Amino acid sequence: MHIAGNPSTLTAQQRELIDLAATLGAEKFAPRAATHDRAASFPFDNYADLRAAGLLTICVPREHGGLGADFATYVMVAAEIGRHCGATALSYNMHVCSTMWAGFIADALTMTPEQRADHAANRALHYANIVERGLVYSQPFSEGGAAAAGKAPFGTLARPATVDGVDGYVVSGKKIFASLAGAADFYGVLCTLDRPHATQKDSLYLAVPADAAGVQVVGDWDPLGMRGTVSRTLLLHDVFVPHTARLMPEGLYFQAAARFPHMFATLSPTYMGIAQAAYDFTVAYLRAEVPGMPPVKRRMYPTKQFAVAEMRVKLEQTRALFLQNARDAMVDPDKDTRMRLYAAHYTIMENANDIARLAIRTCGGQSMLKSLPLERLYRDSRCGSLMLPWTAELCMDRLGRECLYEAGERDEAIE
């Protein structure tokens, strides 16, 4: 079953890249997934394959030597990777997001001519790192407070400074659940300009070299799921970076976050892929087509048929919202599109775990074995609704408010 449902509706590039991801996933990523999950080890081998296939450049513009894929193409490719290794797809998203923020999203923002020229020069340096050197970027986001949920300025601070005649910033702070910690070459750190009374509008998005003085990765990594992301804690102690480290001009990240909300749902393609994988395994198991298992068919039992039908219904509901969300992505979406985005993100995250739950119940005791992928799919899928900036709770909070309030509306205090 194709991850996009009907592949005849896709562009030639979309079919080619999804097919490439499917081949890598089936031949390379899936056979390694259990090993990386068991050891909570980063899949450097998978990234070597992504690099060799050119997929690290998927959303780097063509004029900079990349594949120039748009948002819809990327999320379908990410979902196909997630079908084979959720941890690889999730960490890959952190890399690709850096290229999208600096690319077609920045192009749609309001900038002065000076800002646009500065940004063009800076991003050319970072794109060259990816295209010519094969370097990996990440996007440490969470800090443990309200900032990651979009409710406060980032606590990580960037102070303008000049070091050895070079203008730039001194960055200090802490990022938790930093995917690719210890594996990325650059950390795309979201921070706040250190100035009096700074607000979210004083945001800054800086590419900090992993080997810069003052960068430290600390803590253990032994989580429930998504173990191969190796999302340890990132500490920044007075780290100096030059102005060319800017992945966006000062303050532009705030504008981008407000005007392109679909970027905050780029975690959900991973879970679309996991939902597909849980369904795929269940069908193969009931048809006695799982490699290495006795050829005992279980498909003739009505209870199994009903369970698979229920899974397929949930899967197609999830896919329909996933694909609609991909088509909807744009700068400055209207209110209905934004609310549909919340609904889609919530549904994908929750349905992935529900489909995995049904898969375990349907396949029975064999599903508990670590030699089979279902228990990993269940653990990985359960983690989706917890992930900032849009957890399941935050999606429902935003959706409920926007269903009932128009912009600027307030209620009188209840005595």
Side-chain angles (χ1 to χ4, degrees):
M1 184 189 309
H2 200 280
I3 198 67
N6 180 7
S8 67
T9 64
L10 303 178
T11 67
Q13 185 195 45
Q14 287 170 342
R15 287 194 296 272
E16 178 185 353
L17 292 180
I18 295 169
D19 287 349
L20 176 58
T23 299
L24 285 176
E27 296 180 359
K28 304 288 188 179
F29 302 164
R32 299 167 181 158
T35 298
H36 289 300
D37 176 72
R38 185 74 63 89
S41 60
F42 188 79
F44 287 102
D45 39 12
N46 292 352
Y47 272 75
D49 293 327
L50 289 168
R51 183 179 293 107
L55 287 175
L56 292 184
T57 75
I58 186 169
C59 288
V60 174
R62 290 185 183 275
E63 59 267 29
H64 290 277
L67 298 179
D70 62 9
F71 183 88
T73 302
Y74 164 66
V75 297
M76 288 186 284
V77 170
E80 182 60 41
I81 293 173
R83 186 179 193 168
H84 305 282
C85 180
T88 296
L90 198 64
S91 60
Y92 176 62
N93 177 69
M94 308 307 175
H95 166 80
V96 177
C97 279
S98 297
T99 66
M100 289 196 285
W101 284 118
F104 58 79
I105 295 174
D107 289 341
L109 301 180
T110 302
M111 298 189 207
T112 66
E114 293 76 18
Q115 285 178 316
R116 202 166 293 282
D118 179 68
H119 178 61
N122 288 346
R123 74 176 177 185
L125 298 174
H126 297 292
Y127 285 156
N129 282 337
I130 297 169
V131 174
E132 298 171 13
R133 301 174 62 195
L135 300 187
V136 174
Y137 282 59
S138 72
Q139 190 180 13
F141 196 93
S142 295
E143 296 181 341
K151 301 296 185 181
F154 290 104
T156 301
L157 298 178
R159 172 172 52 84
T162 301
V163 175
D164 296 331
V166 177
D167 292 333
Y169 307 90
V170 172
V171 184
S172 294
K174 174 183 178 181
K175 297 289 185 177
I176 62 174
F177 292 107
S179 297
L180 295 99
D185 300 292
F186 283 86
Y187 299 109
V189 175
L190 291 161
C191 50
T192 303
L193 275 169
D194 190 0
R195 56 175 53 159
H197 313 296
T199 70
Q200 291 162 278
K201 293 183 179 181
D202 296 301
S203 59
L204 199 54
Y205 188 16
L206 298 172
V208 177
D211 59 359
V215 175
Q216 187 180 9
V217 176
V218 300
D220 296 325
W221 180 245
D222 190 18
L224 169 72
M226 290 298 175
R227 293 167 60 81
T229 63
V230 190
S231 304
R232 299 170 65 198
T233 297
L234 181 69
L235 301 180
L236 304 160
H237 302 283
D238 293 332
V239 181
F240 177 76
V241 294
H243 276 167
T244 54
R246 289 181 297 203
L247 290 166
M248 281 185 169
E250 292 182 0
L252 263 290
Y253 176 79
F254 176 80
Q255 182 190 151
R259 298 183 62 190
F260 202 99
H262 286 79
M263 278 299 295
F264 295 118
T266 57
L267 298 176
S268 60
T270 294
Y271 295 89
M272 178 70 237
I274 291 173
Q276 182 71 64
Y279 173 84
D280 291 345
F281 178 86
T282 304
V283 170
Y285 179 79
L286 297 179
R287 288 175 54 84
E289 294 173 348
V290 176
M293 293 195 68
V296 179
K297 293 183 174 64
R298 297 166 175 83
R299 65 187 182 185
M300 66 288 295
Y301 302 111
T303 53
K304 304 298 186 185
Q305 295 170 12
F306 185 89
V308 171
E310 186 179 4
M311 291 174 66
R312 183 63 182 256
V313 168
K314 286 183 180 292
L315 181 66
E316 295 304 343
Q317 291 169 341
T318 306
R319 192 192 326 277
L321 277 171
F322 168 71
L323 294 174
Q324 183 61 50
N325 185 46
R327 291 189 292 267
D328 278 349
M330 66 181 76
V331 171
D332 299 326
D334 61 22
K335 180 179 178 179
D336 283 335
T337 301
R338 191 172 59 250
M339 290 196 296
R340 190 162 52 249
L341 170 61
Y342 300 145
H345 188 70
Y346 176 89
T347 299
I348 294 166
M349 297 303 206
E350 292 294 282
N351 279 11
N353 186 245
D354 204 38
I355 291 169
R357 174 189 65 83
L358 287 168
I360 286 177
R361 190 182 71 183
T362 303
C363 295
Q366 296 286 340
S367 64
M368 295 188 294
L369 300 177
K370 286 189 176 292
S371 58
L372 298 175
L374 269 189
E375 63 90 27
R376 182 181 74 254
L377 295 174
Y378 180 82
R379 288 185 288 103
D380 283 353
S381 66
R382 184 63 281 167
C383 296
S385 62
L386 311 177
M387 293 191 173
L388 290 166
W390 285 1
T391 65
E393 290 178 337
L394 287 171
C395 281
M396 294 298 277
D397 178 68
R398 288 171 178 261
L399 184 57
R401 287 179 180 275
E402 294 198 27
C403 284
L404 297 174
Y405 293 80
E406 296 298 329
E409 285 187 336
R410 298 288 186 274
D411 291 319
E412 295 181 2
I414 299 175
E415 298 294 337

